[in-house]
Amino acid sequence: MSQTVLITGASGGIGSATAKAFASAGYKVAIHYNSNADAANSLKKEINVLGGECAVFKADISDSTQVKTMFHDIKKTLGEVDVLVNNAGTGRQIMFQDISDELWHNTFGVNVDGAFYCCREALSDMIRKKSGRIINISSIWGVTGASCEVHYSAAKAAVIGLTKALAKELGPSGITVNCVAPGVIDTKMNSHLGEETLKELAEETPLSKLGTPEDVAESILFLASDKASFITGQILGVNGGFVI
């Protein structure tokens, strides 16, 4: 029987590539979105055309009640979640003194609270089965910090701390918890940086190019596979050598 993967924020660049990678590997895919219904449904059609099984689920993951409802609906539609990919995230460049209370709380609500709520819901079945994979998506800025992205850097650093601590707690239950920290990836989320800035970032990267959503997706798929069964609590930098 094929396993079920939940990918939060699946309507975005990395999320979409990850959903397609898992579908190609034979997983049933729960496509989560909050605001971009068109992109989520387009992704569903694309996976269906390729012969994959998937379904779309809407939720504000910063709301624990909506997360609980989403997991209930996924279980009814696709079965228990075997692999959880906490990919949904939000962030933008802004000077520290201009960060409002609302922006700070929203950034942590999506990036940190959302991951916490989804882990909590997924674990009841994973612990019972003594198996499961959790892959959290952080960022190189969660490792090094980024000027004008203090709120985002702090939230992504929290995701790394959550990963390491939860891996220690869940190891005896046969559940692995790992983290992928992407570098500069060629996605819509980074398009605001402008062509010139992106070119400079590519030049600063030892591999002399930007990463693709598929680069990150393949790393996530690897961590969910049996090939990564003895890997837990690790932060995998997919950054072309930007941070070493």
Side-chain angles (χ1 to χ4, degrees):
M1 183 179 293
S2 61
Q3 292 189 314
T4 296
V5 58
L6 164 60
I7 301 162
T8 66
S11 60
I14 291 174
S16 176
T18 303
K20 286 183 275 190
F22 273 89
S24 296
Y27 287 79
K28 293 181 288 184
V29 182
I31 299 169
H32 160 264
Y33 79 98
N34 184 31
S35 59
N36 199 340
D38 289 343
N41 285 309
S42 176
L43 175 61
K44 179 180 183 295
K45 290 178 183 177
E46 189 173 351
I47 290 175
N48 287 157
V49 167
L50 295 173
E53 183 178 356
C54 62
V56 173
F57 303 89
K58 182 184 188 308
D60 175 356
I61 60 170
S62 67
D63 182 332
S64 63
T65 300
Q66 291 190 40
V67 171
K68 186 180 287 291
T69 299
M70 175 177 67
F71 269 81
H72 177 265
D73 293 343
I74 291 171
K75 196 169 183 175
K76 282 199 308 180
T77 308
L78 298 174
E80 297 173 353
V81 172
D82 302 288
V83 178
L84 168 62
V85 180
N86 284 311
N87 168 71
T90 183
R92 64 187 178 91
Q93 288 189 314
I94 186 171
M95 295 289 287
F96 178 74
Q97 288 147 303
D98 295 329
I99 298 173
S100 64
D101 292 359
E102 181 182 9
L103 178 58
W104 179 268
H105 291 302
N106 179 62
T107 303
F108 270 77
V110 175
N111 291 287
V112 185
D113 296 351
F116 164 63
Y117 295 145
C118 288
C119 286
R120 189 170 62 180
E121 291 301 320
L123 283 176
S124 58
D125 289 325
M126 288 184 180
I127 291 173
R128 175 179 53 77
K129 294 185 294 187
K130 286 192 172 295
S131 70
R133 298 279 192 271
I134 296 173
I135 300 103
N136 299 318
I137 310 305
S138 179
S139 165
I140 56 170
W141 309 133
V143 178
T144 68
S147 175
C148 299
E149 294 191 58
V150 171
H151 56 316
Y152 181 74
S153 299
K156 289 303 189 180
V159 170
I160 290 173
L162 183 153
T163 299
K164 292 181 177 182
L166 196 56
K168 290 182 177 180
E169 186 169 330
L170 296 178
S173 296
I175 300 163
T176 66
V177 187
N178 289 290
C179 183
V180 173
V184 185
I185 307 299
D186 190 9
T187 64
K188 186 178 179 180
M189 185 176 179
N190 285 326
S191 62
H192 71 281
L193 295 173
E195 186 176 337
E196 190 61 34
T197 299
L198 290 172
K199 182 180 178 182
E200 290 174 0
L201 288 167
E203 290 173 351
E204 290 175 30
T205 302
L207 288 180
S208 301
K209 62 180 181 178
L210 301 181
T212 68
E214 289 72 25
D215 290 328
V216 183
E218 290 300 324
S219 300
I220 296 169
L221 183 61
F222 165 71
L223 289 173
S225 73
D226 289 340
K227 295 177 182 178
S229 62
F230 198 55
I231 300 174
T232 195
Q234 303 304 305
I235 315 304
L236 178 58
V238 183
N239 59 47
F242 195 91
V243 174
I244 296 177

